[in-house]
Amino acid sequence: MLGVQDAASGQDPGSGGDKGSRRRWKEKICQILGEIQAPLSSLLLRLCHWLLPKLLTRLFLSVQLHQGQLEMVLRAARTPEVPLVFLCSHQSQVDGLLLSFVLLSQGVGLPRVAVSAWTSPRLRSLLQRLGGIFLPSWSELDEGLPGAVLDAYVQEVLRSRQPLVLFLEEPSASLRLADPARHWLLCVLRALRDGAVPDVLIVPVGIAYDVAPGRLEQDGMPPQPLGIGTCLRAAFQALRWHRGCAQVDFSQPFSLREFVDNNLVRPVLTGNRPEQLLLPTILGRRPLDVESVGTLSPSLGTEEEILVTALGLHALSDSSACSAIMAVGITAALLLHRHREVG
């Protein structure tokens, strides 16, 4: 909370001790926090817990899990004082519901799921009461009070060991790290840097479908805001036929502290000992090129930008690598191979 206090006093430095000023920035903090989350509704959670299995049964022939991978995640969840952060590739609009149901039903816990900002106010309010979290207003997110409140919120979520689910890409932009994911990852890195938690276990997740449901936007087109009515219409259309199988795969969890300590960014930026500069060549790894990393925000240092990008792309690569090749894809590949031979 020290960062929030500093940000609040920095916005109104001349009246830090005034009761009226303190009341105003406390109201502003509550407003920002309300944009991020809302109190969980036990009634809605019970309703969704009853409804989701029926919806998934109608939507998919089966939802497949690898027992060995699940046991690996459960062992990681039992690590004392170390929270889990699931970094997931994004295939469809039902990814959040599917992964939340899997984690809750398998005993990992009810996660907080980062949701895209492209939602109507009513749908946003509903998802918040089911565990969804949103970034505060984009205009002042990078600096000032909203960013400080977001950092403090993520630190509290991690400290309480609630599972956190972050989607690394938008459904319409495959294998490209989305800007919202960069902000969430930055908050997680800052929580580790500030000592809010001793470590964070990162679990890359891959979700694969025979036919991905809920693709409500077209490639290359800007996403349209989702509303409750749009979601209901999409659900009724999807329930008319089965869309094959869905599979959730978990990659090997890794320590965020070890990733930060072992990253090859610092030697490149600080010009340390020659043996450190030769380490990428010896290991067969290429250090990240500082010039090739896009700017996340003018307020971030270059090394922090590179570290966020490296973590996101590393997890996105693991998520894609562990994703299953589904039956529809295999059948399509075989048909194309046979067609090539005949032609």
Side-chain angles (χ1 to χ4, degrees):
M1 292 298 292
L2 291 178
V4 176
Q5 293 176 358
D6 292 342
S9 60
Q11 289 188 353
D12 193 7
S15 56
D18 180 70
K19 291 184 178 180
S21 177
R22 288 200 299 268
R23 184 175 63 253
R24 285 194 297 273
W25 66 255
K26 285 181 179 178
E27 291 175 353
K28 178 64 174 177
I29 289 173
C30 291
Q31 178 185 351
I32 297 170
L33 189 59
E35 294 180 11
I36 299 173
Q37 67 151 26
L40 295 175
S41 171
S42 58
L43 177 61
L44 286 176
L45 287 173
R46 286 196 296 268
L47 178 62
C48 284
H49 191 267
W50 171 80
L51 186 61
L52 268 180
K54 296 175 173 56
L55 175 64
L56 294 176
T57 300
R58 292 291 305 274
L59 192 58
F60 303 111
L61 295 174
S62 67
V63 176
Q64 302 168 1
L65 300 173
H66 190 286
Q67 188 63 32
Q69 295 175 355
L70 184 59
E71 292 175 356
M72 175 182 64
V73 172
L74 291 174
R75 284 196 302 270
R78 292 192 289 268
T79 306
E81 299 182 0
V82 177
L84 295 182
V85 175
F86 296 88
L87 300 185
C88 186
S89 60
H90 210 350
Q91 302 298 321
S92 80
Q93 300 295 344
V94 303
D95 291 346
L97 290 175
L98 177 60
L99 186 54
S100 297
F101 175 75
V102 168
L103 295 178
L104 181 59
S105 63
Q106 299 301 318
V108 179
L110 178 65
R112 289 287 184 173
V113 182
V115 185
S116 171
W118 295 94
T119 54
S120 68
R122 289 184 178 180
L123 181 59
R124 181 183 182 124
S125 177
L126 176 63
L127 293 177
Q128 282 181 321
R129 294 187 176 277
L130 292 173
I133 53 177
F134 294 80
L135 290 172
S137 301
W138 282 91
S139 59
E140 301 175 347
L141 180 58
D142 295 331
E143 53 188 36
L145 194 57
V149 172
L150 182 63
D151 284 341
Y153 172 79
V154 172
Q155 290 182 14
E156 186 59 32
V157 169
L158 296 177
R159 194 179 293 114
S160 63
R161 301 188 71 233
Q162 298 179 61
L164 182 61
V165 175
L166 306 179
F167 289 102
L168 298 174
E169 57 185 348
E170 298 294 343
S172 58
S174 180
L175 297 180
R176 188 174 65 190
L177 194 62
D179 286 337
R182 295 174 185 266
H183 285 280
W184 288 113
L185 290 176
L186 176 62
C187 292
V188 174
L189 286 170
R190 284 176 173 170
L192 180 65
R193 180 199 64 189
D194 296 341
V197 288
D199 198 0
V200 176
L201 286 178
I202 303 295
V203 185
V205 183
I207 301 179
Y209 304 94
D210 279 327
V211 179
R215 296 294 291 267
L216 301 180
E217 68 278 339
Q218 298 178 353
D219 292 348
M221 299 295 292
Q224 298 298 318
L226 293 177
I228 294 179
T230 305
C231 293
L232 289 176
R233 285 195 298 272
F236 282 125
Q237 291 175 0
L239 291 177
R240 293 178 181 176
W241 61 84
H242 287 297
R243 291 177 173 258
C245 301
Q247 182 161 331
V248 180
D249 288 287
F250 300 97
S251 186
Q252 175 70 42
F254 63 90
S255 164
L256 179 59
R257 179 170 295 279
E258 289 185 6
F259 180 88
V260 173
D261 291 343
N262 297 332
N263 80 88
L264 301 181
V265 176
R266 184 178 299 276
V268 175
L269 297 178
T270 59
N272 283 338
R273 299 186 304 274
E275 59 267 26
Q276 290 178 308
L277 296 176
L278 288 173
L279 187 60
T281 303
I282 295 172
L283 298 178
R285 298 170 62 183
R286 180 181 178 186
L288 291 173
D289 185 1
V290 178
E291 302 296 332
S292 66
V293 179
T295 300
L296 172 60
S297 164
S299 65
L300 299 181
T302 304
E303 185 175 359
E304 199 170 36
E305 292 180 10
I306 297 175
L307 190 56
V308 167
T309 303
L311 175 61
L313 295 180
H314 176 76
L316 186 57
S317 175
D318 282 359
S319 299
S320 301
C322 75
S323 295
I325 301 177
M326 304 302 287
V328 169
I330 295 174
T331 303
L334 292 174
L335 289 174
L336 288 174
H337 178 71
R338 181 175 181 180
H339 177 74
R340 185 186 63 178
E341 286 184 338
V342 172

